Amino acid sequence: MFELGLTGSIGMGKSTTAALFAELGCEVWDADAAVHRLYSIGGAAVAPMQAQFPQVVEDNTVSRAQLRVLIANDPSALKSIEQIVHPLLGQDRSDFVENAKSYILVYDIPLLFETGGDARMDAVACVWTAPEIQEQRVMERGTMSAEQFEVIRAKQLPADEKRNRADYVIVTDTIEHARMQVQNVLKSIRQRMSNA
C-alpha cells in the first residue's frame, strides 16, 4: 500500500485533483469531509463539543459559524477543540485504511505540512496554480470576502514553500493538464512500488 498526501493552498484546485485520483482508481480520504462527518448529526465530535463548548452545538450538529465566533473571542479555545477533533480524525482515517481496497491511497489534507502530517506519508503531491488564478477561483465561489481569503492564505504555508517541499507538483491551470500530471504521478508511484 502506498500513502500519498495531497495538499495545496486554498483555491489551488485540490478537490478537483483529488477527484482525478479517484477517477483513476485511487481511494481518497478527505480531511474536510471527515470533519464534516464528525460535526454532523450523530457525529463523534458532537457530544464532546457539547460538553465543553455547549454554545457551538445547534440542532445536534457542531456549527462552524459558532466555532469561528468562539475562536475569534477566545483564541485559546482552538487548542481544546483540536484535542477533541484530532484523535477522532485519526480514528476516521484508520477506519478508511482498514476498509480500503486500492493499493494507492490519497489523503486530501489542506494543512498537511502545517500539521506535520507529511511525515506519515510515502510521498506528497502539491497542487499549484498562479496566485492571481488562485484568488480569482476563491472570489468566484462567492463564499468569502477578499479580506477573509487573505486571512486564510496567511495561516497557510506559502504556496511556493509547499510546492518546494512536495515530491510531486500538479499544476492546475487546465483540467486536461492536471489529469495528465495525475496519470504521471500514478505511473511514478507504481514504478516505485514495483522496485521496492
Side-chain angles (χ1 to χ4, degrees), residues 33-178:
V35 170
H36 188 75
R37 283 193 296 278
L38 294 175
Y39 286 175
S40 296
I41 292 178
V46 177
M49 290 291 259
Q50 173 95 51
Q52 201 158 352
F53 304 107
Q55 69 274 35
V56 304
V57 176
E58 297 174 344
D59 303 322
N60 297 318
T61 65
V62 177
S63 160
R64 286 181 181 234
Q66 291 303 325
L67 273 179
R68 281 192 291 273
V69 170
L70 170 67
I71 293 164
N73 294 334
D74 179 10
S76 68
L78 184 59
K79 193 133 200 73
S80 303
I81 293 165
E82 288 173 345
Q83 286 170 340
I84 293 170
V85 175
H86 287 178
L88 296 172
L89 265 182
Q91 184 57 53
D92 191 276
R93 193 172 56 233
S94 297
D95 294 345
F96 163 76
V97 173
E98 209 171 286
N99 297 309
K101 308 278 185 280
S102 66
Y103 61 93
I104 299 175
L105 304 182
V106 177
Y107 298 84
D108 176 348
I109 305 176
L111 300 176
L112 184 70
F113 287 123
E114 292 85 342
T115 58
D118 55 310
R120 291 192 301 272
M121 301 295 151
D122 295 309
V124 174
C126 177
V127 295
W128 188 89
T129 194
E132 56 275 11
I133 296 175
Q134 174 193 24
E135 187 167 354
Q136 180 188 341
R137 285 177 181 167
V138 174
M139 291 299 101
E140 281 172 357
R141 293 177 190 167
T143 56
M144 65 178 74
S145 67
E147 293 74 31
Q148 289 170 313
F149 166 63
E150 285 307 331
V151 166
I152 290 173
R153 187 153 64 174
K155 282 184 186 161
Q156 298 182 336
L157 266 186
D160 289 344
E161 190 177 328
K162 287 186 179 190
R163 189 174 68 172
N164 294 339
R165 288 177 61 180
D167 301 281
Y168 303 102
V169 176
I170 299 167
V171 179
T172 61
D173 46 359
T174 68
I175 191 88
E176 295 77 17
H177 189 210

